[in-house]
Amino acid sequence: MQHTYPSAGGLTVVPYPGSETRLLRLGGGAETACEYCDSGGYRPIGAVAELADAVERSGLRGRGGAGFPFAVKVNGVRAASRPAAAVPPAGCTETVVVANGEEGEPASFKDRWLLRNRPHLVLDGLRLAAALVRARRGYVYLSDPESERSVLSALRELGGTVPGGPELVVVRVDPGYVAGEETAAVQAINGGRAVPTDKPPRPYEAGVAGLPTLVSNVETLANLPFLERWGADAYRAAGTALSPGTFLSTVTAAHRAPVLYELPYGLPVTDLLALHGIPADSVRGALVGGYFTGLLDSTFTGLTLDHETLRRAGSGLGCGALAVLTEECPVAVAAAVLNYFDRENAGQCGSCFNGTAAMAAATTALAQGRAAADDLDRLRRWSTVLRGRGACGALDAACNTAASLLDRFPQEVATHLGNSCADCAITPATDRAPYRVETEALL
Ligand SMILES: Cc1cc2nc3c(=O)[nH]c(=O)nc-3n(C[C@H](O)[C@H](O)[C@H](O)COP(=O)(O)O)c2cc1C
Ligand code: SF4
């Protein structure tokens, strides 16, 4: 039987039936420090080498988008910190940890849910990450005022600092798709604009105040207390060999309230659709992992939800968000997503600024039945030649959207040459972010 739980902020949360919850907390409002400690939180940190070993063996992967192995990142920061550790600059920490809770992805609400409802779990994870990289300063980076209030209130409960943790600062920026990119986070914390910078250096080499900086998604960090307490084998008890553990997934679909699930990696898509009440044969496609990886067609229903399977399918699990297309027209969805990228790109790189605008205009013309065959040729060319040309991945995301529309929906694209379709009228307008989770409404 499916159990659903309303939570602070109006979003319903659902654990996968029969699977333990590691990240979701069911019922009640924001977890207090006492409640968190009573359930085993903020345990004294034992030998850091043991924790590092558990992290390594767990196979924990980042939840911010790329699914990058957390242990590799930790090792990178530790290696980069050695010279600074020998001669620490006066008044500076040797390394820095940033808990990235900005969550620029419109179709996702998991990081804000964690920050609003389980601030102590995130702070405990940050404390453990700081121990791993020997950081004496940590930042919680976010844009949601409610999340900021929750974290500051959690810190007040603790008297200003996390037990045995680093000095902590909460930094709030204006929300934006690129504001959560790691170099944007570092630049904003350093006092600049929350827009991406050129790489190298990457934050693990030189980040906040020029120090080696671990930037990790808040959900990634929220896995550390479980891992520290129960060990790598327990962590691996859920999920697949290459995508171990559970993950938070914001699921949106037309005419249904968004739901935040905690799912074991490797779950068949059909199981999730059944849980969400969507008949598999009504699925036209999906935006998997949020806007970043583009569209999948109805073959999505034959896949499982793990990094390796989705990568093989030419997609990716990204931040775990799933927007399921049923009656919506994929051409109109692609046009709306590309227009969103056009509004949200940082306007720093000519290829991104101009290329995203051109791809948005071409798909909008297609959705409105105004495009000709050579517009499609140009769209195809842009989606290929512009890849990798921006300072951050946002231009690649726009290329993914255009290319996936052309590759996976040739029939629908052909139908739109010279015609708009009836379904375009019921799909998102191009001036809105489709499937954006406002905690109560979508589309
Ligand atoms: C355009 C763009 C936007 C991003 N936005 C976010 C974001 O909102 N939150 C986030 O955690 N990571 C975001 N990322 C990924 C971060 O750059 C970084 O890889 C991540 O925070 C690292 O955390 P993880 O290893 O725990 O996943 C974004 C990346 C790109 C290219
Ligand atoms: S690629 Fe686009 S979004 Fe990224 S920094 Fe350049 S202009 Fe900004």
Side-chain angles (χ1 to χ4, degrees):
M1 183 187 160
Q2 176 185 337
H3 295 281
T4 63
Y5 301 83
S7 65
L11 191 71
T12 299
V13 299
V14 177
Y16 189 70
S19 178
E20 67 187 329
T21 54
R22 301 176 182 182
L23 303 167
L24 290 183
R25 182 168 174 268
L26 310 175
E31 187 175 31
T32 63
C34 287
E35 288 168 333
Y36 184 65
C37 290
D38 287 349
S39 67
Y42 293 128
R43 282 154 45 93
I45 301 173
V48 172
E50 272 175 33
L51 176 60
D53 180 58
V55 163
E56 189 93 44
R57 289 190 301 112
S58 72
L60 172 65
R61 299 175 70 150
R63 307 298 205 256
F68 194 75
F70 178 72
V72 173
K73 220 180 219 189
V74 165
N75 292 340
V77 174
R78 285 170 65 100
S81 77
R82 272 192 200 120
V87 189
C92 290
T93 52
E94 294 161 289
T95 65
V96 175
V97 176
V98 175
N100 188 354
E102 198 281 325
E103 199 167 39
E105 170 55 53
S108 183
F109 206 87
K110 49 123 182 154
D111 296 335
R112 281 165 287 174
W113 187 91
L114 280 173
L115 291 166
R116 289 179 182 197
N117 291 276
R118 302 211 67 190
H120 291 288
L121 181 68
V122 174
L123 292 175
D124 199 4
L126 201 163
R127 174 185 78 117
L128 294 167
L132 284 168
V133 298
R134 302 182 290 252
R136 278 185 253 149
R137 186 179 303 170
Y139 292 84
V140 181
Y141 177 73
L142 43 74
S143 59
D144 172 38
E146 196 52 46
S147 298
E148 182 186 39
R149 269 191 288 279
S150 167
V151 174
L152 289 175
S153 151
L155 282 172
R156 268 196 304 276
E157 280 183 276
L158 299 170
T161 49
V162 177
E167 181 192 328
L168 279 182
V169 180
V170 179
V171 174
R172 178 159 71 87
V173 294
D174 289 338
Y177 187 76
V178 297
E181 197 270 347
E182 60 181 3
T183 60
V186 164
Q187 177 158 266
I189 292 168
N190 283 337
R193 284 178 66 212
V195 293
T197 57
D198 282 334
K199 298 173 264 293
R202 291 193 168 271
Y204 81 88
E205 299 162 311
V208 175
L211 295 166
T213 300
L214 178 74
V215 182
S216 281
N217 175 261
V218 294
E219 183 190 346
T220 313
L221 297 177
N223 276 283
L224 292 177
F226 179 95
L227 191 47
E228 188 275 334
R229 186 167 179 199
W230 303 108
D233 292 342
Y235 179 82
R236 283 185 165 278
T240 69
L242 295 177
S243 302
T246 63
F247 71 103
L248 295 179
S249 177
T250 317
V251 178
T252 50
H255 309 305
R256 285 174 177 78
V259 174
L260 181 65
Y261 294 96
E262 181 168 354
L263 305 172
Y265 281 111
L267 187 76
V269 168
T270 43
D271 289 9
L272 177 61
L273 292 173
L275 194 60
H276 202 66
I278 301 178
D281 60 5
S282 71
V283 174
R284 210 166 171 182
L287 287 166
V288 183
Y291 289 6
F292 196 90
T293 48
L295 286 154
L296 275 178
D297 56 22
S298 59
T299 56
F300 161 65
T301 59
L303 303 176
T304 53
L305 296 169
D306 50 76
H307 292 289
E308 55 278 21
T309 301
L310 288 163
R311 209 154 277 177
R312 268 200 309 275
S315 180
L317 195 49
C319 64
L322 299 175
V324 184
L325 279 64
T326 50
E327 61 197 34
E328 306 93 303
C329 173
V331 177
V333 171
V337 169
L338 278 160
N339 276 280
Y340 172 81
F341 285 139
D342 183 33
R343 291 192 299 278
E344 286 287 317
N345 78 72
Q348 304 195 113
C349 317
S351 50
C352 177
F353 183 69
N354 297 319
T356 307
M359 289 190 281
T363 43
T364 304
L366 186 66
Q368 294 173 350
R370 294 185 286 107
D374 44 345
D375 290 315
L376 292 188
D377 293 342
R378 275 194 290 274
L379 188 59
R380 160 78 60 202
R381 190 157 42 80
W382 291 326
S383 72
T384 313
V385 299
L386 293 174
R387 211 170 273 280
R389 303 243 314 248
C392 79
L395 178 56
D396 290 355
C399 293
N400 290 340
T401 308
S404 63
L405 175 69
L406 298 173
D407 290 342
R408 299 195 169 112
F409 296 93
Q411 197 73 49
E412 285 86 344
V413 168
T415 312
H416 279 77
L417 278 177
N419 305 287
S420 64
C421 78
D423 293 345
C424 284
I426 50 166
T427 38
T430 47
D431 62 346
R432 301 187 57 189
Y435 311 102
R436 180 190 284 283
V437 179
E438 309 282 10
T439 61
E440 52 226 334
L442 68 148
L443 285 184

